[in-house]
Amino acid sequence: MTILPGCVALAALAKGKEIHAYAIRNALASDVAVGSALVDMYAKCGCLNLSRRIFDYMPVRNIITWNAIIMAYGMHGKGEEAFELFKSMVGKEHRGEEVEPNENERRLWNRTHIEPTSDHYACVVDLLGRAGQLEEVHELVNAMPCEFDKIGAWSSLLGACQIHQKVEFGEIAAKNLLRLEPDVTSHYFDDEVHKFTAGDSLHPQSEKLHGFLETLAERIRKEGYVPDTSCVLHIVNEEEKENLLCGHSGKLAIAFGILNTPPGTTIRVAKNLRVCNDCHVATKFISKIVGREIIVRIVRRFHHLKDGNCSCGDYW
């Protein structure tokens, strides 16, 4: 119960599987608390199918278990499935099983007032942003209590501004994110931690990765990829902007995964910042030409990229 959340924090799927195997060997996997932690661990490490499998085979579930699986589907962009699970949980209560929605969930179901948290604000911001109500979004974020974590809300606003091409609010969101978040991105593979920064030259494979990315860039160009140089904020010429894009930390991590894992293996990247538009488009092309599924975990959600498409529908 202590180690599994650590596996989540490091996106250490291999270690999480080891703990799962240990739980099975020691007859602990059927425990409701351990099972709930496994549901959460697999979901947050990008394995929604394994998370659901654990959930389905649990002999006993409680409200924590149900919350974990509902949140899992929400994080992976499967809103309809999450809502169906919520309705199923409420139905369990009426069939006499020992599952009862907690106070906040009951309020939500009855459409009555919810005492808002930072996550509630972030969700409403995301919904309004998708609808293009950016001025209302800006007012809502500013109205959030000072003690609330506003990173998710500002990230959602920035994404909405990019989609709806609203520069004014986008600049405001970007400035606040730069103030709140350190510019550090970490990526994890197997049992080792590999850290990449933009234009990385310190990693032992840096030279090899940059060379591979140049080749990869040429291949995806032939498939229709066009570099989005608006993602580069430096005042340099277009050619230099394209070179800078090629060295983004996310691309370096993906290149590392391609070169250091067997063909067909899923590549998992963990980021503590949102993915830029150019990296998102490029990764879609890369997933198609190399025949890999690429799962990118950002602050509060996942991008599943496969065969040139992304689970987010190009909105994040």
Side-chain angles (χ1 to χ4, degrees):
M1 291 298 297
T2 303
I3 298 174
L4 284 171
C7 295
V8 170
L10 293 174
L13 178 60
K15 287 297 181 186
K17 287 183 175 180
E18 288 182 27
I19 302 305
H20 185 188
Y22 177 88
I24 293 173
R25 291 195 302 271
N26 291 274
L28 295 171
S30 60
D31 178 80
V32 65
V34 175
S36 299
L38 286 168
V39 168
D40 183 68
M41 183 275 293
Y42 278 119
K44 290 180 178 177
C45 286
C47 297
L48 183 60
N49 60 329
L50 292 178
S51 178
R52 182 58 185 265
R53 188 182 303 175
I54 297 296
F55 176 83
D56 287 340
Y57 280 95
M58 286 181 66
V60 179
R61 305 170 189 147
N62 60 17
I63 188 60
I64 297 173
T65 316
W66 281 93
N67 279 342
I69 194 65
I70 291 170
M71 179 185 66
Y73 274 86
M75 289 179 66
H76 287 266
K78 297 184 178 293
E80 292 184 6
E81 291 89 339
F83 191 66
E84 288 301 316
L85 278 165
F86 179 81
K87 290 195 293 185
S88 179
M89 179 181 69
V90 174
K92 294 289 184 184
E93 175 191 9
H94 296 298
R95 288 195 289 273
E97 298 185 17
E98 295 182 3
V99 176
E100 183 176 352
N102 61 22
E103 183 180 0
N104 281 341
E105 288 163 335
R106 189 181 297 280
R107 289 181 196 163
L108 174 62
W109 186 251
N110 293 331
R111 304 297 195 270
T112 56
H113 175 68
I114 299 174
E115 190 67 32
T117 66
S118 57
D119 286 339
H120 288 125
Y121 275 100
C123 289
V124 175
V125 164
D126 185 58
L127 288 170
L128 291 173
R130 290 172 185 268
Q133 305 297 321
L134 301 185
E135 185 171 349
E136 188 174 351
V137 169
H138 183 232
E139 292 175 358
L140 181 63
V141 178
N142 282 328
M144 289 176 66
C146 296
E147 66 272 16
F148 279 13
D149 179 2
K150 296 187 178 184
I151 291 174
W154 286 121
S155 295
S156 293
L157 175 56
L158 184 62
C161 291
Q162 184 175 22
I163 297 296
H164 296 289
Q165 298 183 348
K166 297 292 185 180
V167 177
E168 177 186 356
F169 292 122
E171 290 179 346
I172 294 172
K175 288 178 181 177
N176 279 280
L177 282 172
L178 288 173
R179 177 175 56 84
L180 293 170
E181 288 190 312
D183 189 11
V184 177
T185 304
S186 297
H187 308 268
Y188 307 90
F189 300 87
D190 293 329
D191 292 336
E192 297 181 353
V193 177
H194 295 265
K195 179 180 178 180
F196 297 91
T197 57
D200 200 305
S201 60
L202 299 177
H203 191 277
Q205 295 186 26
S206 286
E207 185 176 350
K208 182 180 180 181
L209 295 178
H210 283 286
F212 178 68
L213 280 173
E214 289 179 11
T215 302
L216 203 57
E218 290 301 317
R219 292 179 63 188
I220 62 177
R221 280 176 183 272
K222 293 177 180 178
E223 294 292 326
Y225 162 72
V226 178
D228 183 356
T229 56
S230 67
C231 297
V232 178
L233 303 181
H234 300 285
I235 303 175
V236 293
N237 60 42
E238 287 298 303
E239 183 179 355
E240 183 60 26
K241 286 184 178 180
E242 292 182 16
N243 290 334
L244 289 171
L245 287 174
C246 197
H248 274 192
S249 57
K251 293 190 181 79
L252 289 167
I254 291 168
F256 178 86
I258 294 171
L259 292 175
N260 291 274
T261 57
T265 304
T266 297
I267 296 172
R268 291 181 171 85
V269 175
K271 290 175 61 72
N272 69 340
L273 299 172
R274 73 187 304 274
V275 61
C276 81
N277 184 64
D278 181 77
C279 283
H280 189 262
V281 173
T283 304
K284 288 199 298 181
F285 279 101
I286 291 170
S287 72
K288 181 179 180 180
I289 67 171
V290 301
R292 301 280 197 111
E293 180 178 10
I294 302 172
I295 300 176
V296 181
R297 187 181 87 180
I298 55 175
V299 183
R300 283 183 172 82
R301 66 186 65 180
F302 284 84
H303 291 269
H304 293 253
L305 303 108
K306 187 177 182 180
D307 298 326
N309 297 303
C310 183
S311 59
C312 74
D314 297 332
Y315 194 113
W316 73 96

